[in-house]
Amino acid sequence: MSSRMLHQAALDQLRSGFTGTLLAPGDPSYEETRHVFNAMIDRSPAMIALPGNEAEVAKAIAYGRREDLEIAVRGGGHSVAGNSASDGLVIDLRHMNTAAVDPEARTVRVGGGATMADLDGATQPYGLATTGGRVSSTGVGGFVLGGGSGWLERAFGLACDNLLAAEMVTADGDLVRATGHTHGELFWALHGGGGNFGVVTSLTLRLHPLPALTAALLLWPPQAGPEVTRAYRDFMAAAPDQVGGGLIYLTAPDEPFVPTELVGKLVCMVLITYTGPEAQAREVMAPMLGLGHAGEMIAQLPYAQLQSMLDDPPGYRNYWSAEHLDAFPDEAVDEFCARAADMIVPSPSQHVLFPEGGAVARDADLYPLPWRHAPWTVHPFGLWDDPADDARGKQWARALRSDLKPWASGSVYLNFIGQEGADRVVAGFGQDNYRRLAEVKAHYDPGNVFHHNHNIRPAT
Ligand SMILES: Cc1cc2nc3c(=O)[nH]c(=O)nc-3n(C[C@H](O)[C@H](O)[C@H](O)COP(=O)(O)OP(=O)(O)OC[C@H]3O[C@@H](n4cnc5c(N)ncnc54)[C@H](O)[C@@H]3O)c2cc1C
């Protein structure tokens, strides 16, 4: 639909008293605003509404419904599935990005369009932190509502475990506040159910003291991968909850700690994070340091700095997927390592193994995310430039999934995948949780107005 087909009277009604921004095709900044992180997604919304407050969110929803426009809600625009893009109406929350810290209560209240950079930038000065995504431009909204996996998760739980309250505008334009005491079923559903239930305009998150944080990057040439991965698996099995991180095959960056002969080549990297000072971290990670690596960077650093260390620029073509493993025996290690050879190199792609356990697995049944029971997550995270590489990039990610199937739990973290069909959405929650979520959906959005997401269909 083009802007000319929008009804003038309805537009005038939307514009009246709207202090935010409304962008139609041809308007200055429309082009840069419509793009999302994944360059494979190319939508031209008839209207982009950037509300400044809850009332304007409600107004935009009413407009979209009245005009029968497909509504997508955008937080940080990082959904690989393109769930925050639409050719109809995009309600873009980026102007609602405040982050207010209450240091005494150890909480932060962030706007529904805040990014990790907004969140971490606000909490860092207080020496407080919560589990955040591993890239600073990811939206807090889509990240937390989908579960939220990050470097601190084994110490502090998933991001959604730290969600204390959420304010949400429903499809009918009502503002509701979900906490442990009010709108209890919605509160439960917002811990992983994504943007299915309405537009979340604020999230209140628990903060944790983080006086010191250490990060280590250790590098090996790819042929050492199987041995390193076995050692890493055994190291993590005994590691305290303060240890986070992952094992990642990637293209070695041109950084001082990378030996010249490895720059631009496929390498196996272990990233270890430790919620404590460097001296303690070195003791804890001694088994990995003893392996004899080719390059290292170990430093105590501010959390907000770690959070932006792996930032990727937008504009790449993206394809990702995930499997969660109940076991990771030597045979699975060999399959995982062998498939790294198919990754597009050089590129920003990552062939990732995340350890779970710790606080991720504790109270795992409180919320609707069964994947968190699995001790390992395998996450092919593909980014490349050239459309001619699309088939190759997708094939690598799909093949890795299928190689690891014998050990897969069958459930999946939906924030780590694109559009993989309705069955995978059910697998994201499990049958029983899905049914319960569908009841919540029927209560708050019976007409499935908010279906640009990993969609939970309203119970009938
Ligand atoms: C480079 C990169 C790194 C990433 N790293 C991690 C990581 O470390 N850990 C992790 O768990 N995930 C990670 N992700 C995945 C990320 O968590 C999901 O893509 C998440 O959905 C992004 O949220 P967003 O707000 O940026 O996305 P958007 O594309 O804006 O939104 C994603 C979905 O959430 C909905 N949504 C967003 N905000 C709101 C809101 N306020 N109210 C209602 N619905 C909303 C949208 O409608 C859409 O359905 C990463 C993604 C990228 C691109």
Side-chain angles (χ1 to χ4, degrees):
M1 179 186 266
S2 85
S3 62
R4 272 168 308 187
M5 293 167 70
L6 298 176
H7 299 111
Q8 197 54 48
L11 261 177
D12 290 345
Q13 204 179 339
L14 173 63
R15 283 211 174 97
S16 139
F18 198 92
T19 62
T21 309
L22 296 169
L23 297 175
D27 285 344
S29 79
Y30 170 88
E31 272 305 310
E32 64 192 77
T33 308
R34 78 179 177 88
H35 288 296
V36 292
F37 188 83
N38 182 358
M40 283 195 196
I41 310 293
D42 187 17
R43 300 266 186 278
S44 297
M47 174 65 68
I48 306 174
L50 298 101
N53 55 48
E54 294 82 357
E56 291 180 359
V57 169
K59 208 167 180 189
I61 297 170
Y63 170 76
R65 294 190 68 182
R66 212 165 37 240
E67 292 297 284
D68 203 19
L69 295 170
E70 289 273 320
I71 297 178
V73 178
R74 177 189 164 123
H78 269 207
S79 156
V80 67
N83 283 331
S84 47
S86 154
D87 290 325
L89 171 69
V90 172
I91 301 178
D92 184 327
L93 301 172
R94 74 181 77 189
H95 291 168
M96 297 176 68
N97 67 340
T98 52
V101 178
D102 181 339
E104 245 113 78
R106 289 188 182 154
T107 61
V108 59
R109 182 172 180 268
V110 294
T115 62
M116 291 302 145
D118 297 322
L119 168 64
D120 297 331
T123 61
Q124 182 76 52
Y126 298 97
L128 297 169
T130 196
T131 304
R134 299 169 178 92
V135 160
S136 69
S137 52
T138 301
V140 178
F143 170 78
V144 174
L145 298 173
S149 156
W151 303 128
L152 302 181
E153 66 193 6
R154 284 172 40 88
F156 302 151
L158 295 180
C160 73
D161 294 333
N162 295 290
L163 177 63
L164 301 173
E167 286 169 318
M168 187 187 88
V169 179
T170 67
D172 286 338
D174 299 324
L175 179 65
V176 298
R177 181 174 163 81
T179 67
H181 308 292
T182 56
H183 295 273
E185 279 297 280
L186 175 64
F187 185 64
W188 172 81
L190 291 176
H191 286 69
N196 269 283
F197 312 99
V199 181
V200 173
T201 51
S202 85
L203 304 100
T204 302
L205 301 165
R206 183 187 297 114
L207 297 174
H208 306 262
L210 188 59
L213 175 76
T214 305
L217 298 174
L218 309 176
L219 286 188
W220 289 265
Q223 53 277 21
E227 187 202 343
V228 172
T229 308
R230 280 174 176 73
Y232 178 67
R233 172 196 62 191
D234 299 342
F235 162 68
M236 285 309 304
D241 294 355
Q242 294 101 306
V243 175
L247 180 144
I248 308 172
Y249 281 89
L250 77 173
T251 303
D254 190 358
E255 297 284 349
F257 72 94
V258 178
T260 322
E261 66 277 13
L262 292 181
V263 171
K265 306 268 172 53
L266 181 70
V267 290
C268 176
M269 178 182 88
V270 168
L271 191 162
I272 298 174
T273 59
Y274 182 76
T275 53
E278 185 178 332
Q280 265 175 31
R282 282 184 179 271
E283 271 177 42
V284 170
M285 65 177 86
M288 293 307 298
L289 295 178
L291 287 181
H293 41 276
E296 75 165 45
M297 193 285 295
I298 303 178
Q300 206 172 302
L301 74 180
Y303 175 57
Q305 189 182 330
L306 170 69
Q307 288 292 83
S308 54
M309 220 161 74
L310 299 181
D311 279 6
D312 294 310
Y316 283 98
R317 304 176 73 75
N318 282 231
Y319 186 87
W320 330 328
S321 197
E323 286 293 347
H324 305 272
L325 310 184
D326 286 331
F328 196 43
D330 287 353
E331 204 187 338
V333 169
D334 291 341
E335 296 282 359
F336 173 79
C337 295
R339 189 58 70 181
D342 291 350
M343 204 173 91
I344 295 172
V345 177
S347 82
S349 298
Q350 299 181 6
H351 185 91
V352 180
L353 174 74
F354 284 136
E356 307 298 347
V360 177
R362 272 197 295 280
D363 297 327
D365 294 323
L366 264 186
Y367 300 120
L369 297 173
W371 62 266
R372 55 193 294 173
H373 282 285
W376 296 100
T377 293
V378 168
H379 180 32
F381 183 78
L383 287 85
W384 57 88
D385 235 349
D386 187 348
D389 282 331
D390 284 1
R392 190 176 148 210
K394 289 178 183 177
Q395 174 53 25
W396 153 71
R398 288 176 183 148
L400 181 62
R401 266 193 70 200
S402 104
D403 295 342
L404 275 305
K405 267 275 156 55
W407 302 279
S409 70
S411 55
V412 63
Y413 176 33
L414 296 172
N415 266 356
F416 278 177
I417 71 169
Q419 301 289 5
E420 294 186 2
D423 288 351
R424 284 279 268 177
V425 177
V426 176
F429 306 113
Q431 292 280 357
D432 290 348
N433 287 326
Y434 185 87
R435 272 193 287 273
R436 187 171 161 193
L437 290 164
E439 294 290 344
V440 182
K441 174 80 173 172
H443 186 80
Y444 291 94
D445 182 19
N448 207 4
V449 170
F450 302 110
H451 58 266
H452 278 252
N453 40 48
H454 290 294
N455 195 228
I456 296 161
R457 294 182 185 283
T460 47

